[in-house]
Amino acid sequence: MKKLSNKTQKILIISDSHNLNKLVEKIIKKEKADINICVGDLEQFNDPDTILSDSYRDKLFDYWVYGNHEVTIRMIRNVLDGKWWWENMKNSYKTFMLGESKVLLTHFFEDDSRIMKTVAKQTGKVIDITSWKNKVIAEVKPNIVICGHTHVPTLELGVEYKIKNKTYKFDVLNPGTANVEKNRSKTFTNATYIVGTINDGKKPNWKIVKIV
């Protein structure tokens, strides 16, 4: 992993490109960031022959996690064990430091009732994402949460998250979807990613970038 120096450095966050790997490579080449981060779903679950190696991710990104599509494909291909899907999914998060900020990198974070209902219908099991979030936030105590999945770009700074009598404060970043094909649908209005800068190892500044 790259170590942040005292000079100004650029950070790229990308997610949910769903098999548009050439586009991802093009964005990385264009932005020339010092730190590249992926929040999952580079793959598409109904196209399991396009499974990407971890070494491919390591070449492109300094920090990355699986999304629900990667976990689903690997369970289909028996790369992951036969646990219930959520047991594999909920452990797919990482933590690291960006300057003075502790980062929680996780594909799931913002609530998504659609996928919860789909999983419940298909498996008869209910995902308790709130209890999982509470547990991870209390353990990690992040300053920044970087998430994906919803395909909706989000920059929420200074979010106050209460667990019982304690309040945790952090920024929530979601780069949206980098899939320009989904951009043409009625569901998602823009294909996006996030770029940030960090000066002297301090707190980063962020902006959402539209993919034209």
Side-chain angles (χ1 to χ4, degrees), residues 42-109:
L42 288 180
E43 301 169 6
Q44 184 69 27
F45 82 93
N46 55 2
D47 190 7
D49 291 333
T50 62
I51 190 169
L52 301 170
S53 67
D54 290 355
S55 60
Y56 174 79
R57 287 174 170 79
D58 288 336
K59 288 178 182 178
L60 293 182
F61 302 105
D62 300 286
Y63 303 99
W64 59 266
V65 291
Y66 287 150
N68 54 296
H69 283 253
E70 282 88 3
V71 168
T72 301
I73 289 172
R74 281 155 182 76
M75 292 185 73
I76 292 171
R77 296 279 292 272
N78 295 317
V79 176
L80 291 174
D81 64 33
K83 296 177 182 176
W84 179 42
W85 176 83
W86 178 238
E87 290 298 316
N88 280 312
M89 190 68 241
K90 72 181 182 180
N91 294 319
S92 182
Y93 70 88
K94 293 178 181 176
T95 62
F96 57 93
M97 298 298 295
L98 278 180
E100 299 173 352
S101 300
K102 189 171 188 180
V103 177
L104 169 63
L105 183 65
T106 172
H107 186 68
F108 279 125
F109 189 77

Side-chain angles (χ1 to χ4, degrees), residues 11-14 30-31 110 147 151-157 172-178 189-197 205-212:
I11 303 158
L12 169 66
I13 307 173
I14 197 165
K30 172 190 172 185
E31 292 294 345
E110 297 174 300
C147 57
H151 294 208
V152 179
T154 301
L155 281 179
E156 292 186 85
L157 307 181
V172 177
L173 315 179
N174 186 330
T177 174
T189 57
N190 290 297
T192 54
Y193 56 89
I194 286 177
V195 167
T197 55
N205 296 309
W206 309 103
K207 67 176 180 178
I208 295 169
V209 179
K210 294 181 180 180
I211 303 172
V212 180

Side-chain angles (χ1 to χ4, degrees), residues 7-8 19 24 30 35 37 50 65 70 78 98 110 119 134 136 140 154 168 171 185 188 194-195 198 200 203 206:
K7 66 182 181 69
T8 300
N19 275 355
V24 171
K30 172 190 172 185
I35 302 290
I37 299 170
T50 62
V65 291
E70 282 88 3
N78 295 317
L98 278 180
E110 297 174 300
V119 170
N134 291 350
V136 173
V140 176
T154 301
Y168 298 85
D171 300 338
S185 73
F188 310 112
I194 286 177
V195 167
I198 185 168
D200 297 325
K203 190 173 180 178
W206 309 103

